[in-house]
Structures are given as C-alpha cells and as structure tokens.
Amino acid sequence: MNTEVHISAKKEGFFRRIAEGIAQIPREHKGFGKQILMLAKNDLIKTYKGAVIGPFWAVMKPLFQLFVYWFAFTIGMNGGPRGPVYDTIPFFVFAMAGFLPWCFMSDCVSRGSKCIRDNRQFVNKISFPVSAITTYTTLSKFYIHLLLFSFAYIYLVCTGFMPNWYNIQIIGYAGLMFMFFWALTWSLAPMSAFSKDFESFIATIMSGLFWISGVCFDSYHIKNDFIRKVLLFNPMTYFCNGYRKALIYNQWFFEGYYHPDYENIIFLCEFILVVILGVINYNRLRKRLPDVL
C-alpha cells in the first residue's frame, strides 16, 4: 500500500514540475513583447550587417538553391524522375513545396542551437529572460520564412496553382512548425552552450537530414516499407508533406495515405515529448549557464 502511495506521489510530483515548467516560460516573457520583436529584427540586421541588401540575403540564398534545383531537374534531367506524384505536378514545384519548410527548420536548428552562446551578453543580465533569446531567434527565422513563402506562392499562382480553401491549412502548419522548433531550441540551445561537441554534432547531422526528410522525394511512395514507416517519425518529413497537401495536393491535413491517421498522431506525440523535454532541459540548465559562458 505504501509503495503504491509513493509511486502515485512521484507521478504527481513529476507532472506538477512539468506544468510549472511550462508555465514558467510564458511568465518570463511577460513584459518583454516589444523587446523580443525588436531583438528579432536586430538579429536579422546583425546577421547581415555590412551587406548592401541586408536581410534579403537570407532570401537570396534559398532562391538561388531553388534555381539550381530547377535547372538540374527541369533542364538537366529533363523533368526529373517520374513517379505517382510527378505525373501531374512538375518536379520543381513538388521540390519547392518541400523546400519552403526545410529552409525554416534548418535555420531554426542550426542557428537556434547556437543562439544562447552567440548572445551570451544577455545571459548575465538578470532582467532579461534567457528563454527570450530562443524566442526572438526563432521569430527572426520565421520572418524570412513568411517572405520566402510569399515569393513561392506568387510563383505557384503564376504557374496555374490557383488559390483554394486547402491553402488555408498553411496557417496551421506554419504555426505548428514555429511552435515545434521553438520548443526544440529550449533543449538544443542550453545543451550547445554547455558542449561545443554537441553544437558540432547538430551542424553535422543537418547536412544529411536534407536528403532523408522528403524535401526532394515523395516519402509516401518509397518502395521499402520499413524506411517509409521510419520517415513517419521525422517531423521534418511531416511538414514537407503538410505543405504539399496544402499547396499542391489539394488535400486536408486529415486526409492521407495511412489509416488510421498515423502521421498526425505520431507528430502530436513528438510535439508533446519535445515540449516536456525542452522544459526539463531548460529549467535544469538555465541557472548554470552564466558560469559556463
């Protein structure tokens, strides 16, 4: 009996700490709304300081990469490989729809993992919450995403993909993507601040994730059944497919290739897990950050 009471108390204490941790971050943000927006803007200016066109370089780089893919697959490879998707959708359009979320996700992980170390001047200021560093860093990347999406959407309309009600899902996918990778930085940023090796590890795996996240291929029609199911656990694949559903597949988020809806169920579980781990890591490491940096 005592053992059951002890286990119940431990569970109750664990969930109470998670709830308190989740509430802690919004409390830290209270009163810092204007500063976060201003710092997000300044982060862009600082990143591209000295460049003639400033933050527009953040758009020029992915646009140039898109041009390279268009030339390689549309001109060089005469339209790219054929498959179930490519029969009705040009490969460049297919790849662009997956590339849009990839740019944001890649920048969030790469820059977000280094944001505390790169902004160490704020860590020792008691009046400024450390969690706000991850917020304005993620927000600055989201600004770029919205601008890049605007260019891509205009291109889609000009090539015959007319606006429809399915497109409105982009609001939900973009919002979820922002929240997921913002929560992910709660773990990545403090851990990278403690370990340069962890920071290097993040940089290393990001170069490979591009090719295994469904950015340039249709993850739904991979012949290997095991690999196709493994990709369901990659949140980057989830958002690449989500953007395609909203922009070019004309499908709702609950429509898909799997029944029951494994994609959304798995992502929801991963989202909850990322938030819980982020809260635990942030609260465990934030008080030790000034000593490390």
Side-chain angles (χ1 to χ4, degrees), residues 42-263:
N42 290 342
D43 184 63
L44 290 176
I45 295 173
K46 181 177 67 175
T47 301
Y48 300 97
K49 185 179 181 180
V52 176
I53 62 173
F56 278 95
W57 276 115
V59 176
M60 293 300 294
K61 180 181 177 181
L63 285 178
F64 176 73
Q65 286 181 282
L66 279 173
F67 169 76
V68 172
Y69 296 145
W70 170 80
F71 185 88
F73 293 107
T74 303
I75 304 299
M77 296 179 63
N78 193 27
R82 311 309 295 175
V85 170
Y86 313 123
D87 290 338
T88 56
I89 300 172
F91 181 78
F92 175 71
V93 172
F94 171 82
M96 182 178 68
F99 191 73
L100 286 173
W102 165 259
C103 287
F104 172 77
M105 296 184 290
S106 175
D107 281 347
C108 273
V109 174
S110 300
R111 287 293 307 280
S113 62
K114 300 187 295 183
C115 66
I116 290 180
R117 184 180 293 276
D118 290 345
N119 295 277
R120 65 187 70 191
Q121 69 273 16
F122 291 123
V123 175
N124 293 317
K125 292 186 177 181
I126 300 176
S127 61
F128 193 82
V130 175
S131 60
I133 298 175
T134 64
T135 302
Y136 78 72
T137 300
T138 307
L139 188 59
S140 72
K141 303 307 172 191
F142 196 64
Y143 290 160
I144 297 299
H145 176 68
L146 295 178
L147 184 59
L148 183 61
F149 175 80
S150 300
F151 287 130
Y153 194 72
I154 292 171
Y155 176 83
L156 286 173
V157 172
C158 291
T159 53
F161 291 84
M162 302 308 295
N164 55 57
W165 285 110
Y166 297 103
N167 299 161
I168 203 170
Q169 295 176 103
I170 284 295
I171 298 173
Y173 278 116
L176 273 176
M177 185 170 64
F178 174 85
M179 294 180 67
F180 182 90
F181 286 92
W182 174 43
L184 186 61
T185 59
W186 301 345
S187 288
L188 297 183
M191 292 171 70
S192 294
F194 273 83
S195 172
K196 289 286 288 184
D197 290 329
F198 184 78
E199 184 179 313
S200 299
F201 170 74
I202 293 296
T204 300
I205 65 171
M206 286 308 298
S207 60
L209 275 177
F210 176 87
W211 302 106
I212 58 174
S213 296
V215 179
C216 289
F217 62 86
D218 181 5
S219 65
Y220 292 132
H221 291 93
I222 294 177
K223 294 181 179 180
N224 188 301
D225 185 61
F226 175 75
I227 295 176
R228 188 171 63 251
K229 290 179 179 178
V230 166
L231 286 177
L232 287 172
F233 294 88
N234 184 344
M236 294 182 171
T237 305
Y238 175 82
F239 286 112
C240 288
N241 288 332
Y243 268 57
R244 289 187 181 116
K245 285 182 178 181
L247 295 176
I248 61 177
Y249 288 171
N250 290 338
Q251 291 180 339
W252 293 112
F253 70 93
F254 51 82
E255 297 177 331
Y257 295 84
Y258 301 98
H259 301 283
D261 190 4
Y262 293 124
E263 275 189 300

